[in-house]
Amino acid sequence: MCLHDGVELPEHLPADLRELYALTAHPQFGDLQFSNHRSFTPQKLIDAFGNVIDAGSTLTIGRADEQSIVLDLDTEAVFIFDFLYFRHGLGTGFVLRCDSVAEFIDTVALGPRYPYIHGPHETWNEPWRLSDPWYAYLQKLGFA
């Protein structure tokens, strides 16, 4: 695993995110891949009918496989949003939510909520986490 040099993010972004990117410009935790800071893009969240969900001022900051890691700039909450949630039998696109970047890193990227990044277990065709090397590593360390 290679850690890229850190970068300084703009002050308008949450301190937790700035601290993470100060450590490495391309954070990755298994299937959680944070984007290059220059690739952060404003994101309008939509429902199954194409209507915009009023979720405040949001920014896509990464990917969790086919899903987006989204930051709400108003509340500093971080969540995984699945734009194809209706195809996966989910009632909402909000797969997983944390109140801050720090909570997301602690409980999802490095913790027990990592196996839920692809939605509820009952929506999976196969238990992907059993063959996921990052999940196996988290289990070995006793984090998941």
Side-chain angles (χ1 to χ4, degrees):
M1 178 186 220
C2 172
L3 289 178
H4 300 275
D5 290 339
V7 295
E8 189 173 324
L9 295 182
E11 287 292 318
H12 75 279
L13 294 172
D16 295 343
L17 187 65
R18 293 194 320 266
E19 289 175 18
L20 176 62
Y21 274 77
L23 297 172
T24 180
H26 279 288
Q28 181 174 348
F29 306 90
D31 282 354
L32 299 173
Q33 298 180 1
F34 287 80
S35 300
N36 177 308
H37 67 287
R38 292 184 191 107
S39 300
F40 290 176
T41 54
Q43 184 69 64
K44 295 291 183 197
L45 307 178
I46 58 171
D47 64 16
F49 305 104
N51 300 317
V52 175
I53 299 169
D54 183 18
S57 180
T58 54
L59 195 65
T60 295
I61 60 172
R63 309 278 308 152
D65 199 22
E66 296 177 359
Q67 302 157 122
S68 296
I69 302 172
V70 180
L71 170 69
D72 183 327
L73 292 169
D74 299 328
T75 65
E76 297 189 5
V78 177
F79 49 90
I80 295 177
F81 192 84
D82 185 347
F83 284 92
L84 299 175
Y85 67 91
F86 46 90
R87 282 192 188 167
H88 300 139
L90 300 173
T92 178
F94 294 93
V95 174
L96 185 134
R97 183 185 184 284
C98 294
D99 289 334
S100 68
V101 174
E103 180 187 344
F104 187 85
I105 298 302
D106 186 46
T107 65
V108 180
L110 297 173
R113 294 177 69 195
Y114 180 81
Y116 297 93
I117 65 173
H118 298 301
H121 293 177
E122 57 272 4
T123 65
W124 305 338
N125 290 333
E126 58 186 62
W128 64 271
R129 71 191 186 286
L130 299 179
S131 62
D132 182 274
W134 185 251
Y135 182 64
Y137 180 69
L138 292 176
Q139 284 188 305
K140 183 177 180 178
L141 295 175
F143 293 172

